[in-house]
Amino acid sequence: MATPSNKNLRTEVRSAAFEQVREAHQTETAEDYVEMIADLIAEKGEARVVDLASAFGVTHATVNKTIARLNKEGFVTNEKYRSLFLTPKGQKMAEACKSRHEIVVGFLKSIGVSARTAELDAEGVEHHISPETLKAFAAFAKKKK
Amino acid sequence: MATPSNKNLRTEVRSAAFEQVREAHQTETAEDYVEMIADLIAEKGEARVVDLASAFGVTHATVNKTIARLNKEGFVTNEKYRSLFLTPKGQKMAEACKSRHEIVVGFLKSIGVSARTAELDAEGVEHHISPETLKAFAAFAKKKK
DNA sequence: AACCAATTGTAGCCTTGGCTAAGTTTTTTG
DNA sequence: CAAAAAACTTAGCCAAGGCTACAATTGGTT
């Protein structure tokens, strides 16, 4: 299949695409939480359950359950009734996410999307951007500037 | 707050963004299924459970459960052991999704992303694109052509 | 017509990520 | 410093979307 038609390409790639989406969904929450924890520590000196709940718009019970999972998976450390910290693994992930987020927001603005919408859409879009596309975004936004 | 700083904007918009993502996740499956059913009917004359399972890379049991939900929600009609059909509501949704999908793929290609990656990423990205951003994508791809 | 393979359906399990409600611990404040 | 408020934990519920295993139906072949 040296030069597949668009239709064949689409068919061929289909199930891989859906699998990629399912994988992204599994890391999405972890990414959002570590990034938010890093932001909160940077902005306010500490990250508390109540801050995360308010930032995500969910209840503190939900935050608690998620934190337990992130702890188990080695992204977060926490002592009972105390504020949250990132492990080195969590910090690394947070940095990558922050950078990716900024690239996506900057790119959307550079093609004329409003700042508000850029923020809103970036939050959903960023988890589904491959390295190749991210590179294209960064290159375009840079050229545009 | 007439001219909010970037930081304030981000904070202000945050929880709305996450809520938007959660909403998108709730419609995502419905959108993928109706679009796939429409494609299958167009390509092969009918849409069967087994085709959907293979296209999405999941088991037929999973497809079955999802179809039951889509039926309950009025997107799909099905008789036992027969192929699947879209309701008018489902057809309308399928058309909107197909169009949006094509815009996203075309746009990604227009900024230099390979056809394969464009397809892969579009599948995840398309559910998180607001009308404003979609418009910007379409305008850019058109200008580029 | 009967059998076999493929397809479809059903039951039951798991994880994630929501929620409410009730109980603890910490912190603030009168 | 004791009481009230705030923050946190825990338990238990729900729906979605995965899965395996088994049951039922359909459709082709012989």
Side-chain angles (χ1 to χ4, degrees):
Chain A
M1 217 192 289
T3 54
S5 73
N6 280 344
K7 174 156 269 177
N8 281 345
L9 179 62
R10 226 195 130 184
T11 303
E12 176 206 357
V13 165
R14 254 182 200 168
S15 69
F18 289 108
E19 200 190 322
Q20 183 173 293
V21 173
R22 287 194 297 271
E23 273 166 28
H25 282 170
Q26 294 225 314
T27 54
E28 222 172 291
T29 306
E31 291 179 348
D32 287 340
Y33 271 67
V34 297
E35 192 183 346
M36 190 65 79
I37 291 169
D39 276 6
L40 286 167
I41 290 174
E43 287 171 21
K44 321 180 35 170
E46 64 172 1
R48 314 254 5 171
V49 170
V50 78
D51 301 323
L52 289 170
S54 139
F56 289 128
V58 300
T59 64
H60 58 276
T62 298
V63 170
N64 232 269
K65 206 188 264 193
T66 305
I67 293 297
R69 180 165 76 84
L70 297 185
N71 185 314
K72 198 176 66 184
E73 289 171 1
F75 293 108
V76 165
T77 60
N78 61 323
E79 286 177 65
K80 272 195 166 190
Y81 300 100
R82 303 285 153 169
S83 64
L84 308 165
F85 297 93
L86 295 177
T87 63
K89 180 180 168 189
Q91 277 172 21
K92 200 170 161 191
M93 188 186 231
E95 277 157 34
C97 290
K98 188 179 180 64
S99 145
R100 189 184 59 186
H101 182 85
E102 280 161 10
I103 290 171
V104 174
V105 171
F107 171 76
L108 290 176
K109 287 192 204 158
S110 77
I111 60 161
V113 174
S114 72
R116 186 185 179 87
T117 302
E119 274 298 339
L120 283 167
D121 287 12
E123 207 57 70
V125 162
E126 60 186 3
H127 302 288
H128 300 278
I129 296 292
S130 65
E132 182 190 337
T133 300
L134 191 65
K135 213 170 139 190
F137 278 16
F140 181 87
K142 190 178 171 190
K143 197 176 67 181
K144 194 75 183 232
K145 206 193 298 170
Chain B
M1 220 190 287
T3 54
S5 73
N6 280 343
K7 174 156 268 178
N8 282 343
L9 179 63
R10 228 198 128 182
T11 303
E12 178 206 357
V13 165
R14 253 182 201 167
S15 69
F18 289 108
E19 199 190 322
Q20 183 172 294
V21 173
R22 287 194 297 272
E23 273 166 27
H25 281 170
Q26 294 225 312
T27 54
E28 223 172 291
T29 306
E31 291 179 348
D32 288 340
Y33 271 67
V34 297
E35 191 182 347
M36 189 64 79
I37 291 169
D39 277 4
L40 286 166
I41 291 175
E43 286 170 23
K44 320 180 35 169
E46 64 172 2
R48 314 255 6 173
V49 170
V50 78
D51 300 322
L52 289 170
S54 138
F56 290 127
V58 300
T59 63
H60 68 275
T62 298
V63 171
N64 233 270
K65 204 186 267 191
T66 305
I67 293 298
R69 179 166 76 84
L70 297 184
N71 185 313
K72 199 176 64 183
E73 290 171 0
F75 293 107
V76 165
T77 60
N78 62 323
E79 287 176 62
K80 272 196 167 189
Y81 300 100
R82 303 286 154 167
S83 65
L84 308 165
F85 296 94
L86 295 177
T87 62
K89 179 180 168 188
Q91 277 172 22
K92 199 169 160 191
M93 187 186 232
E95 277 156 35
C97 290
K98 189 181 178 64
S99 146
R100 190 185 57 187
H101 182 84
E102 280 162 10
I103 290 171
V104 174
V105 172
F107 171 75
L108 290 176
K109 287 192 205 159
S110 78
I111 60 161
V113 175
S114 72
R116 185 185 181 87
T117 301
E119 274 298 338
L120 283 167
D121 287 10
E123 207 58 69
V125 162
E126 59 186 4
H127 303 287
H128 300 278
I129 297 291
S130 65
E132 182 190 338
T133 300
L134 191 65
K135 214 171 141 191
F137 278 16
F140 182 87
K142 190 177 171 189
K143 197 176 67 181
K144 195 76 184 228
K145 209 190 299 170

